[in-house]
Amino acid sequence: MLSIRTQLGIVKSELICLIYVSKFLNGWKVHGGVKIRSDVELKPVPMPKWKLTTEFTFDSAHYIKDYDGPCGRMHGHSYRVQVEATSNQLHSSEYCPHPVMVADFRSLRWAKKDVTKGGLDHGVLNEILPPEYETTAEMIAKYIYDVTKKRVPEGVRLKVRVSETSNSWVEYEDDESES
Ligand SMILES: Nc1nc2c(c(=O)[nH]1)N=C([C@H](O)[C@H](O)COP(=O)(O)OP(=O)(O)OP(=O)(O)O)CN2
């Protein structure tokens, strides 16, 4: 008789099981495998963490494709970049075998290198960035974020700020809700 389906479309034994579970949970809820009273409000446990910030500049030329104005013509900026890396764990790096750093500063500062050495300095950004990245400060920040993300240990959260001129900054960062 175990296979007799009820009108709810579930097996009888499953129904009995559900009744037991609902009685068991009456006024309670299960959180992380633990039964707790449903009126108890759970607050996130604060986790101590490290936050590194490094800043650098690079000088490059660019134009914004189809931009109706001076930014559509080839021109240059001294870009200022800040990269922030956050983690509650320390890691080893390519250069250091011991788990003593969030991420090696060297892996965060790659973009300041000369374009012939894999960086963005003294290049034409429209030629360096893959075509899916336009050369707005927004997309330069995303590009630096995307490349840096591949160079830092898993779980390290990143925020990249880019400034073309002293007036304006752009930020690109991990989605808080992902952690
Ligand atoms: N949201 C964005 N807007 C603009 C970007 C950008 O990357 N993101 N870029 C440009 C141009 O590249 C331009 O070089 C910078 O423009 P602007 O801020 O106007 O530069 P100035 O410092 O010369 O501004 P002033 O107000 O004239 O001093 C445009 N927009």
Side-chain angles (χ1 to χ4, degrees):
M1 291 309 253
L2 280 182
S3 61
I4 295 173
R5 297 231 157 229
T6 66
Q7 280 183 333
L8 291 171
I10 55 177
V11 177
K12 201 172 182 181
S13 60
E14 290 169 348
L15 183 63
I16 293 166
C17 188
L18 274 176
I19 293 166
Y20 272 113
V21 169
S22 66
K23 281 198 170 171
F24 174 72
L25 285 177
N26 190 17
W28 297 74
K29 62 186 172 186
V30 176
H31 183 86
V34 179
K35 187 181 161 190
I36 52 166
R37 285 179 51 153
S38 51
D39 56 348
V40 172
E41 200 188 319
L42 287 171
K43 293 199 179 122
V45 182
M47 284 279 264
K49 61 190 175 209
W50 288 269
K51 186 183 278 186
L52 318 181
T53 309
T54 185
E55 183 170 333
F56 57 88
T57 61
F58 66 89
D59 302 309
S60 278
H62 86 124
Y63 61 91
I64 300 177
K65 194 172 64 179
D66 300 330
Y67 188 96
D68 184 14
C71 301
R73 298 194 299 266
M74 182 78 84
H75 61 283
H77 295 288
S78 282
Y79 288 92
R80 279 175 68 201
V81 180
Q82 290 174 353
V83 181
E84 211 175 88
T86 310
S87 174
N88 49 28
Q89 271 178 27
L90 296 182
H91 309 95
S92 57
S93 88
E94 192 183 338
Y95 307 97
C96 178
H98 311 295
V100 291
M101 46 185 77
V102 168
D104 201 309
F105 280 125
R106 292 171 80 169
S107 62
L108 303 176
R109 293 170 64 79
W110 63 271
K112 79 183 282 288
K113 288 193 207 156
D114 191 84
V115 66
T116 58
K117 294 182 176 146
L120 301 177
D121 191 43
H122 282 78
V124 177
L125 294 179
N126 306 75
E127 294 168 4
I128 305 167
L129 270 51
E132 64 270 26
Y133 297 86
E134 191 40 83
T135 63
T136 57
E138 287 87 337
M139 297 205 81
I140 296 166
K142 176 165 166 42
Y143 178 68
I144 294 173
Y145 169 99
D146 288 344
V147 174
T148 309
K149 196 78 180 170
K150 291 183 194 145
R151 297 177 180 218
V152 297
E154 216 184 312
V156 172
R157 304 174 66 75
L158 288 179
K159 182 186 281 191
V160 175
R161 294 193 197 93
V162 169
S163 167
E164 285 186 337
T165 70
S166 55
N167 315 316
S168 321
W169 283 91
V170 158
E171 259 181 33
Y172 189 77
E173 63 183 316
D174 285 296
D175 181 357
E176 281 295 323
S177 64
E178 274 173 18
S179 60

